[in-house]
Amino acid sequence: MATWLDGTDFARYALIPEELLPAWEGTEADDVIDEYVSVFRLTGRDVLTLGAEPLSVTWLAEHLTFARWCYADDDTGLPSAVRTATESNDWKDVLSLELGGRYVLADVAYEADRILCSLRDAQQRPAEAFRVELPSGRYRVQSLTIDPDPNTQFMLDRLLPE
């Protein structure tokens, strides 16, 4: 089973470059958190945000994909559903951005101290943050909602190297 961020206050997330995390105040993404997927610049770096609905989120590193839980009994079928979805022509281009290095995915409203404490206590449940590592480069973000069966739906946001 994947690690899900689902114990957050607002369920709006930011992919924060780790080197910028110590100065994170939790208000940087206020202008973009109503968008499903958006990006803003902070100290010369792109920060990806996922928002608009209070949905739990996880990272599937093998597929460079964030999955947001709309409804499902569990997430056991998610990896195979994402694998199947990679071949779909229904992905929608959302935006392009520059990424690379170590990031932390956390609720946009959390301040640096809270995020850093969560990362130090990796056994904390529910998780409040987790790390994401990405090769440097330009990425296109594409979104797709999948329904692997009538009782399951996930929103996917994948990063495609350009």
Side-chain angles (χ1 to χ4, degrees):
M1 292 185 74
T3 299
W4 291 88
L5 298 186
D6 60 1
T8 60
D9 296 331
F10 302 104
R12 287 160 169 79
Y13 306 96
L15 188 64
I16 307 161
E18 196 165 285
E19 72 269 13
L20 302 181
L21 186 58
W24 187 262
E25 296 178 357
T27 58
E28 289 84 349
D30 284 351
D31 292 338
V32 297
I33 60 174
D34 289 333
E35 301 294 326
Y36 280 96
V37 179
S38 61
V39 64
F40 68 95
R41 299 281 293 170
L42 181 65
T43 316
R45 298 287 309 269
D46 285 342
V47 177
L48 178 69
T49 64
L50 306 172
E53 288 190 45
L55 302 173
S56 300
V57 65
T58 192
W59 170 244
L60 302 167
E62 176 184 347
H63 303 288
L64 296 177
T65 300
F66 293 98
R68 291 189 263 175
W69 189 308
C70 298
Y71 52 87
D73 292 333
D74 59 46
D75 65 351
T76 56
L78 180 60
S80 63
V82 171
R83 218 172 1 267
T84 300
T86 60
E87 302 303 317
S88 173
N89 292 325
D90 295 330
W91 290 89
K92 303 291 183 227
D93 287 336
V94 180
L95 54 86
S96 290
L97 73 165
E98 228 20 78
L99 296 172
R102 292 182 64 158
Y103 292 83
V104 174
L105 186 71
D107 189 298
V108 296
Y110 290 172
E111 293 180 358
D113 288 344
R114 182 170 182 173
I115 296 168
L116 290 167
C117 281
S118 177
L119 291 172
R120 279 191 295 272
D121 185 9
Q123 305 309 314
Q124 177 179 330
R125 295 290 177 247
E128 291 188 344
F130 57 74
R131 286 188 168 88
V132 173
E133 292 195 39
L134 292 166
S136 293
R138 187 142 190 89
Y139 291 85
R140 183 175 56 218
V141 180
Q142 293 185 320
S143 296
L144 176 68
T145 300
I146 59 171
D147 300 280
D149 64 59
N151 299 315
T152 305
Q153 185 177 71
F154 294 98
M155 288 176 57
L156 306 178
D157 301 296
R158 71 176 175 184
L159 304 175
L160 288 178
E162 291 187 334

